[in-house]
Amino acid sequence: MDPRQVLRQVFGYEDFRGPQAEIIAHVLAGGSGLVLMPTGGGKSLCYQVPALCLAGTAVVISPLIALMQDQVEALRQAGVRAAALHSAIEPQEGRAIELQLAQGELDLLYLSPERLLAGFLERLEGLAIALFAIDEAHCVSQWGHDFRPEYRQLGVLAERFPAAPRLALTATADPRTQEDILDRLQLREGRRFLASFDRPNIRYLIRDKGDVKNQLLAFLAERRGEAGIVYARSRSRVDGFARELRAAGFDAVAYHAGLEAEQRRQALERFRRESGVIVVATIAFGMGIDKPDVRFVAHVDLPKSLEAYYQETGRAGRDGLAAVAWMVQGQGDVPQLRRFIEESGAAEEQKRVEQGKLDALIGFVEAPGCRRQVLLRHFGEELAQPCGNCDLCLEPDRTMDLTLPARKALSAVFRTGQRFGAAHVIDVLLGGDTARIRQHGHGSLSVYGIGRELDRGQWRSLFRQLTALGYLVSDSDMKGGLRFGEEGLVKPLLRGEAGLALRLPPPAKEQRRSGAGAAGSGSQAGGTAGLPEGVDPELVAALKAWRLQQAREQGVPPYVVFHDRTVLEIATRRPADPEALAEVSGVGAAKLERYGAAVLAVVAGAIGATGPPP
Ligand code: ADP
Ligand code: ZN
């Protein structure tokens, strides 16, 4: 069958996205290669469509059981003959699958690398293999963050199956990891497909850290009923935030390595299978979650690096609908993170690498321009225009000439001896009366009380930016104490030879008002309140209720039945007959046959009220 026909009939999608068409054509012509596409970019179709166009079975190697299971369920819903073999499959079911395979009755077979290498290669050798897809291919490399030794041996596929196309796919591989993948998987002859790493539907919002709990609750207030992830750094903070959210009436579960395996499994299951669950997690959570309708990812602590930030935020909005990546950041985080690195016991070189990564992250957080431009630049991609969908684009006019306050800040650091942290120096600038000021006689300094034009929060932000830009240095062995950075930077500013434009948060009094406004604009894109113009929220709710019921009966996640995107489109178009329903993106032939009548009935209002609430 022609690939476009497969796309329409089986998956119910109108057109290929980005480089999909090119990749599929390449594979259908017998080519191999490496595909780098961001999360949610649509990697799966790159091998699923060829699997249905070519004769024989496509073998997909995947390291994650949950992910395999989801994909197999979704494919079966679309009427595709798919199965998975891994450690969680009962022996009896396994034998049935192997029989199907031998008889050529499988379009796709998902295998763990262990299973493949433990004697399964021989079994595949006599069969017609359409292609091999190696998912999460970065696992091949020690440079990547999820090295799996078995992946290294997958190079044998090239020798044992020279005729079968091999496609390696990943969402995270820096150039070094890419080289490793090409070498290890013997893909040097193949092509490299790089999609843009931009995720335009994700709105990046970064807020100055205040009372985090209340900031988070305010952010979530607009998002009741939506699924999301809240990342915190430590187990105790995870437990604490999960408790606070539950107390505020949110359906929140904790997830970290300190919990029993069974508790973790349940948290994961609920998150995947129910709608509107919030997982509060350490970074241990997320790998292998391909839930498409995660509407927000919130960081209450800074992530480790920009790579980690990109990956963690990338779990939002895989379905392409509006999603929000929200983060609070404060100066207090940075010395602590630096200390973690210093005390990690890693080799010196490794520590330097980690410190460098942290610097890049701070630079991103503090940079005065468009978030997306800075983020993509870090990954080697230039975005020509500011994105219009990050806090700095949406709330412009936030940089101003702050040369004078910056000079005052530097002078105060100098006059107090370049050894105090920002808090004390700010006390001096504001003319405070603290024990420390009295103890050190700082009340008599020329800089005492010269900074009353800004409030404390504004000064804090200014110090943070001066630090991020290198004017001030905060050494971990100084316990957060500040000293001057490079002379070439500091001197011209102090002498009045150079100016400085920085961002300034609104004064504390106004913060509440404008804060609410900003939260409101965020929800427009992400919240259920942000349904497209003219869509009946009751119909959406009825369709979701029906979907949840279906999902429960079949024991699959709701999005396997229909994605949110499809539900919204149905509610928008209000199809009256099967032909009109078939036009909706995500409604393929199998789903039309299976669910068409029921969906049309919901649309017609026949059973809308009888389902459970969503
Ligand atoms: P990845 O594995 O790259 O993270 P997926 O393959 O899971 O991404 O695809 C992300 C989402 O986009 C899925 O919900 C998928 O059904 C959808 N999708 C992929 N390709 C298309 C397309 N051409 N048209 C419409 N939706 C698509
Ligand atoms: Zn922007």
Side-chain angles (χ1 to χ4, degrees), residues 369-373 383 385-394:
C370 165
R371 306 281 186 203
R372 198 177 310 269
Q373 282 181 320
L383 191 65
Q385 297 292 324
C387 75
N389 196 23
C390 70
D391 56 329
L392 295 180
C393 283
L394 292 164

Side-chain angles (χ1 to χ4, degrees), residues 528-564:
T528 36
L531 287 178
E533 199 70 25
V535 178
D536 175 5
E538 278 177 34
L539 179 53
V540 172
L543 286 165
K544 286 192 174 174
W546 167 82
R547 179 179 68 171
L548 189 62
Q549 202 175 4
Q550 277 300 321
R552 286 207 176 131
E553 280 168 18
Q554 301 179 50
V556 298
Y559 58 79
V560 164
V561 177
F562 282 124
H563 282 177
D564 281 1

Side-chain angles (χ1 to χ4, degrees), residues 10 52 57 104 147 155 187 218 248 310 375 388 438 467 480 490 559 583 607:
V10 178
L52 296 175
T57 304
F147 174 52
L187 283 170
Y310 179 80
L375 189 60
R438 273 178 263 127
T467 308
V490 175
Y559 58 79
E583 298 273 292
I607 59 167

Side-chain angles (χ1 to χ4, degrees), residues 208 402 405 422-423 425-427 429-431 450-464 503-512:
D208 287 325
L402 290 178
V425 180
I426 292 170
D427 282 338
L429 282 165
L430 291 174
I450 61 165
R452 295 200 174 98
E453 74 269 33
L454 302 186
D455 70 22
R456 182 172 300 275
Q458 293 176 316
W459 276 118
R460 264 208 206 103
S461 166
L462 189 121
F463 272 88
R464 209 153 46 226
R503 284 190 278 130
L504 204 61
K509 278 191 288 302
E510 289 171 33
Q511 214 155 21
R512 226 158 292 132

Side-chain angles (χ1 to χ4, degrees), residues 69-92:
Q69 218 45 51
D70 274 6
Q71 291 226 353
V72 167
E73 277 165 3
L75 284 166
R76 286 182 179 161
Q77 292 270 330
V80 176
R81 303 175 301 173
L85 283 177
H86 49 69
S87 55
I89 297 278
E90 300 289 332
Q92 196 183 346

